[in-house]
């Protein structure tokens, strides 16, 4: 996002950077984990490969991959359907506005997902009072985030959209 905001890149540059970041940081993470876990612990290597564990993990891994793939299809499927019906400008407008509005959903999900482990813990120990209190706090926080986002987009949506796409598309709410 920084590349687009400061104006030195195109969306393709951002996509390439997003693909390179994990590839660049993965070796650093492995090095750091090996360093803090001590000598003799190898996270990647043939000597620690166990075919039984691989077979056990393969099917759940493929299922998880299919979940991720289905989410990507759901997110981009509507764009593919619209591509055959409307003009490219309308698709770009739809995608841009959908991305702007999805920032809200992602911020709400951050709060919700961050609370899941604690909700699970409270449920496991049958702390109904704590579970209720946390649920209310998370609901209140997501409600406030929702209204804050609605206020920001209502007041500043045009400016955010213009900063993002320039004069290439017209913002109309």
């Amino acid at each position: 996002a920084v590349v687009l905001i400061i104006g030195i890149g195109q969306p393709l540059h951002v996509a390439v950077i997003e693909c390179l970041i994990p590839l660049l940081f993965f070796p650093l993470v492995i090095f750091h984990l090996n360093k803090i876990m001590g000598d003799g612990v190898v996270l990647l290597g043939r000597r620690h490969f166990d075919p039984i564990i691989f077979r056990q993990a393969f099917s759940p891994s493929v299922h998880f991959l299919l979940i991720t793939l289905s989410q990507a299809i759901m997110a981009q499927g509507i764009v593919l359907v619209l591509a055959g019906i409307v003009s490219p400008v309308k698709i770009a407008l739809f995608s841009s506005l959908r991305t702007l509005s999805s920032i809200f959903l992602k911020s709400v999900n951050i709060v919700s997902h961050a609370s899941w482990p604690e909700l699970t813990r409270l449920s496991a120990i049958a702390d109904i009072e704590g579970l209720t209190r946390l649920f209310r706090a998370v609901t209140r926080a997501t409600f406030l985030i929702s209204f804050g986002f609605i206020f920001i987009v209502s007041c500043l949506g045009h400016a955010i959209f213009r900063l993002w796409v320039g004069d290439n598309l017209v913002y109309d709410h």
Side-chain angles (χ1 to χ4, degrees):
V2 173
V3 173
L4 288 176
I5 290 173
I6 60 175
I8 62 170
Q10 299 297 321
L12 179 61
H13 297 130
V14 174
V16 169
I17 289 171
E18 285 183 3
C19 291
L20 290 178
I21 287 173
L23 294 174
L24 295 174
F25 283 99
F26 183 72
L28 294 173
V29 170
I30 294 297
F31 173 77
H32 178 69
L33 287 174
N34 280 333
K35 183 177 173 183
I36 63 173
M37 292 174 76
D39 292 335
V41 176
V42 178
L43 295 175
L44 295 175
R46 289 173 38 204
R47 140 180 117 176
H48 296 288
F49 178 76
D50 186 351
I52 295 170
I53 293 175
F54 176 79
R55 272 184 259 145
Q56 290 173 343
F58 184 77
S59 180
S61 298
V62 170
H63 289 148
F64 185 75
L65 173 67
L66 292 175
I67 290 170
T68 306
L69 182 62
S70 69
Q71 290 172 339
I73 290 170
M74 286 176 53
Q76 297 305 320
I78 188 71
V79 173
L80 296 174
V81 169
L82 288 175
I85 301 170
V86 299
S87 70
V89 172
K90 289 183 181 179
I91 292 173
L93 182 62
F94 170 77
S95 294
S96 300
L97 290 174
R98 184 179 65 173
T99 301
L100 181 62
S101 64
S102 74
I103 293 169
F104 146 75
L105 183 61
K106 290 182 185 213
S107 62
V108 168
N109 283 341
I110 288 171
V111 174
S112 298
H113 293 154
S115 66
W116 284 357
E118 186 63 13
L119 288 168
T120 303
R121 185 186 73 78
L122 292 171
S123 178
I125 62 172
D127 183 358
I128 302 303
E129 183 180 323
L131 191 61
T132 303
R133 191 172 43 249
L134 180 59
F135 177 77
R136 286 181 181 156
V138 169
T139 303
R140 191 176 308 116
T142 57
F143 189 72
L144 291 172
I145 290 170
S146 301
F147 275 106
F149 182 78
I150 290 168
F151 178 76
I152 289 170
V153 170
S154 296
C155 296
L156 302 173
H158 181 37
I160 294 168
F161 192 76
R162 179 175 284 183
L163 175 66
W164 185 21
V165 297
D167 293 326
N168 298 326
L169 297 172
V170 178
Y171 177 82
D172 180 19
H173 67 294

